Amino acid sequence: MTSPTEPIRLTRRRTALLAVPVAAAAATAATALRSAPAGAQPDGGRVRLRRDPGSVVRAAEVTVAQDPGPMARGGALVASLAADRFGLVALTWKAGSAAPDLQLRVRRGGDWQPWTRVHVLHDGPTAGNAEADGGREGSDLVWARDADAVQVRRVSGRVPADLRVVLIDPGSRDEDDAPDTPALTRAARRNAKGRPTKPPLRGRKLWGADERLTSGRPSYCNRLQQVHLHHTVNANDYGKNDVPGLIRGMYRYHTQSLGWSDIGYNFLVDRFGRIWVGRKGGPTKLVRGAHTLGFNHTSTGIAVIGNMEAGRPSDRTVTAIVMLAAWKLRKAGKSPMGRSKVRSEGSDRFPPGQSVWLPRIDGHRDTNETACPGIKLYNRLPEIRRRAQRRWKRGTKRSNG
């Protein structure tokens, strides 16, 4: 990680791993779990989630030790696990393995939900720097909402080496239902004037960041050239009080399952138009995140909480992105409608050292081979740039006046 400050030194804090047997065939395992009492695995056990010390978050990581062999009709079952209640699920595997073609489904209220494709997580630190040394890759987190069992099946190809199922219960706190503070209300009024002042930001304490999960010091960019937009690819029907838990789950997954130093995104925006501070180091500073492979060194990353491939971003969400992007680019002296010549540090689209002209406000798919930030958000990028430019100009006129 190229930085004018001391590089991150990671100290790994891992959830205890559980080794479980893989079902011999899809039909046998599915029947066993379906007929077993609630909370029981086919072998009579249940995955127990362990609470992080001093935290409301509980988690477990289960190692799936074998490849099921030749494809069975309808897909070979890779894992079938009953567990304590969990709210988020993901898969991780040894770095360097071929991207898996897998599906998963969860059981909620006694009913199995539809199978969903496992999407590979393309966010992350640039290969070769200290933060990328965790040695694991993974999927996007799936919001399971009070599930008590999960099944994973292979669609095609081979199961990657050292496949693990990550189960997270982000817990709940009284503060998750807390109303806006007077300071946030005042900031909202200031931004209603349309100038690129600092927008209302909800800090890490509001979503319950356990600072013991971070490792090393924040790293900073020398300059800011771009704002990259992402989506978190979970459900779109969450409530306001669900948001802190969703962020806590992402934070734990990024730091403990993938080995990053902190949550990857600099900022997160929910469907209610609220802006949350992600990675620590100071929201007014050029904190280097782990969100856009090969392009973290001159950018900030904004993630919309939800699946923008399936759902349209709300107008409040778009307005929050406009405010945040205009503010960050105004501080950097960069026009939101402009383009920047950026040197890649190595992505799956642009090799290390290649210079490429990119929009100042772009989507993750512009730099990596991914559908992120979802077509329904990506299609609103021209509008976001125009509106951010108008706010940026108002700030310029004010400073020159």
Side-chain angles (χ1 to χ4, degrees):
M1 181 180 292
T2 304
S3 169
T5 65
E6 181 180 344
I8 289 175
R9 294 185 176 89
L10 298 179
T11 57
R12 305 290 178 209
R13 303 177 182 90
R14 296 294 189 199
T15 303
L17 300 180
L18 307 173
V20 299
V22 178
T28 302
T31 301
L33 187 54
R34 191 165 53 240
S35 61
Q41 280 184 229
D43 62 359
R46 185 173 72 179
V47 177
R48 297 289 186 180
L49 276 63
R50 298 180 182 178
R51 189 179 302 278
D52 292 337
S55 172
V56 297
V57 180
R58 300 182 307 138
E61 298 191 14
V62 181
T63 298
V64 178
Q66 15 178 340
D67 189 300
M71 278 286 290
R73 184 183 179 91
L77 203 67
V78 174
S80 188
L81 310 171
D84 294 339
R85 180 180 59 84
F86 58 94
L88 295 159
V89 59
L91 304 176
T92 68
W93 52 89
K94 185 177 180 180
S97 301
D101 189 5
L102 302 171
Q103 292 178 326
L104 67 78
R105 66 175 181 173
V106 300
R107 186 178 65 188
R108 185 185 308 123
D111 297 324
W112 286 103
Q113 305 304 302
W115 288 100
T116 182
R117 203 68 171 257
V118 173
H119 296 282
V120 176
L121 179 68
H122 288 274
D123 308 326
T126 301
N129 64 50
E131 194 171 2
D133 290 341
R136 297 201 66 76
E137 298 173 6
S139 71
D140 289 312
L141 274 171
V142 175
W143 192 31
R145 285 193 300 181
D146 297 325
D148 66 0
V150 59
Q151 291 182 337
V152 181
R153 71 181 182 186
R154 186 183 66 180
V155 178
S156 64
R158 297 192 65 83
V159 175
D162 192 23
L163 182 69
R164 297 176 190 171
V165 180
V166 180
L167 306 175
I168 299 174
D169 171 18
S172 62
R173 311 171 306 148
D174 292 340
E175 297 91 331
D176 292 348
D177 295 318
D180 287 346
T181 64
L184 285 171
T185 303
R186 289 194 297 270
R189 291 196 191 103
R190 287 196 301 271
N191 274 275
K193 298 178 181 179
R195 298 191 179 104
T197 55
K198 181 181 176 182
L201 301 176
R202 286 161 173 78
R204 290 167 62 91
K205 286 185 179 180
L206 288 183
W207 56 262
D210 179 356
E211 300 298 352
R212 291 169 296 184
L213 300 188
T214 61
S215 50
R217 299 177 181 178
S219 184
Y220 296 90
C221 305
N222 290 313
R223 55 179 174 164
L224 185 129
Q225 293 180 285
Q226 288 185 282
V227 173
H228 298 296
L229 296 188
H230 303 259
H231 68 156
T232 60
V233 204
N234 48 29
N236 296 319
D237 58 348
Y238 54 85
K240 282 189 174 182
N241 60 343
D242 292 319
V243 174
L246 285 169
I247 301 175
R248 286 195 297 273
M250 283 183 262
Y251 174 53
R252 198 196 187 289
Y253 178 55
H254 289 180
T255 57
Q256 305 306 291
S257 300
L258 298 176
W260 303 352
S261 70
D262 198 346
I263 191 170
Y265 309 114
N266 298 99
F267 302 94
L268 301 101
V269 178
D270 63 31
R271 70 186 184 95
F272 309 102
R274 302 177 301 176
I275 303 171
W276 302 80
V277 176
R279 180 162 287 217
K280 72 178 182 181
T284 63
K285 299 179 181 179
L286 301 183
V287 179
R288 175 167 176 160
H291 47 81
T292 308
L293 180 66
F295 293 87
N296 292 310
H297 59 298
T298 58
S299 67
T300 193
I302 303 173
V304 173
I305 300 175
N307 187 337
M308 298 300 102
E309 197 73 22
R312 184 176 182 271
S314 71
D315 290 339
R316 286 177 291 183
T317 297
V318 171
T319 296
I321 294 170
V322 168
M323 291 192 302
L324 185 53
W327 171 59
K328 294 299 288 187
L329 290 172
R330 178 71 187 86
K331 287 174 62 67
K334 300 292 184 182
S335 164
M337 287 292 289
R339 299 174 74 86
S340 291
K341 187 178 183 181
V342 187
R343 178 184 56 81
S344 171
E345 289 191 330
S347 78
D348 49 7
R349 287 196 64 183
F350 303 105
Q354 179 175 344
S355 293
V356 55
W357 285 96
L358 294 168
R360 298 258 167 78
I361 303 175
D362 73 354
H364 189 188
R365 65 175 60 188
D366 292 321
T367 57
N368 291 168
E369 294 293 348
T370 173
C372 186
I375 190 62
K376 295 182 181 180
L377 175 58
Y378 191 80
N379 285 344
R380 297 192 72 172
L381 275 174
E383 172 196 349
I384 290 169
R385 294 183 188 117
R386 288 193 301 269
R387 291 176 57 187
Q389 181 72 15
R390 288 198 295 269
R391 292 179 66 89
W392 188 89
K393 283 184 175 180
R394 291 189 190 106
T396 302
K397 289 178 181 178
R398 185 185 185 192
S399 62
N400 291 339

